[in-house]
Amino acid sequence: MQKTDSTFLAMLEQKCPRCHQGPLFSTSAFNLSRFADMPEACPVCGQRYEPEPGFYWGAMYITFAFSTGIMLVVGFLVYFLLNDPDTWVYVTAVAFFAVILTPLSLRYSRTLMLYLFGGVRYQPDRANGTGRATTAS
């Protein structure tokens, strides 16, 4: 596993917020039946991925913001690229991209939720396996 010191790159790669090495998700985003499955803890440093029960309920607000952004961008693109077509074209295009991008939207909303509100900070010494802590700090 490759380590990065950049928190932003670790978020983009969906890696553990403590060690920046362990994966946050068990399967690929293309596995449509299990794209939201997360291991209980990081396989590298032991950091628990769910700090408290129901923690990821807050991620639905982030997902809503992502979905709104997707719909606005697609709507503007349809308007400018297709010269203001009929309403059914807007509805079809927005619905198509909203559904196709749902796995990525959900995964990145959970990643942001954990990084921003999980109370976990990057600790490079945890990446070498010396600390198998399972607490949220």
Side-chain angles (χ1 to χ4, degrees), residues 11-82:
M11 271 196 286
L12 281 180
E13 295 173 357
Q14 300 171 348
K15 299 295 183 182
C16 172
R18 177 181 276 166
C19 68
H20 289 185
Q21 286 185 348
L24 285 178
F25 295 93
S26 303
T27 62
S28 165
F30 300 113
N31 183 345
L32 297 180
S33 64
R34 299 182 60 211
F35 67 86
D37 288 356
M38 298 177 76
E40 188 174 316
C42 175
V44 176
C45 70
Q47 170 64 44
R48 289 182 43 84
Y49 286 155
E50 189 168 358
E52 61 187 46
F55 176 74
Y56 291 109
W57 278 91
M60 72 179 166
Y61 297 105
I62 299 171
T63 302
F64 177 75
F66 284 161
S67 297
T68 301
I70 290 167
M71 291 178 190
L72 286 173
V73 168
V74 170
F76 282 122
L77 287 175
V78 167
Y79 178 80
F80 288 112
L81 296 177
L82 301 178

Side-chain angles (χ1 to χ4, degrees), residues 88-109:
W88 71 268
V89 177
Y90 286 102
V91 172
T92 304
V94 166
F96 175 78
F97 282 103
V99 169
I100 292 298
L101 295 176
T102 293
L104 290 177
S105 177
L106 183 128
R107 289 170 72 117
Y108 278 109
S109 68

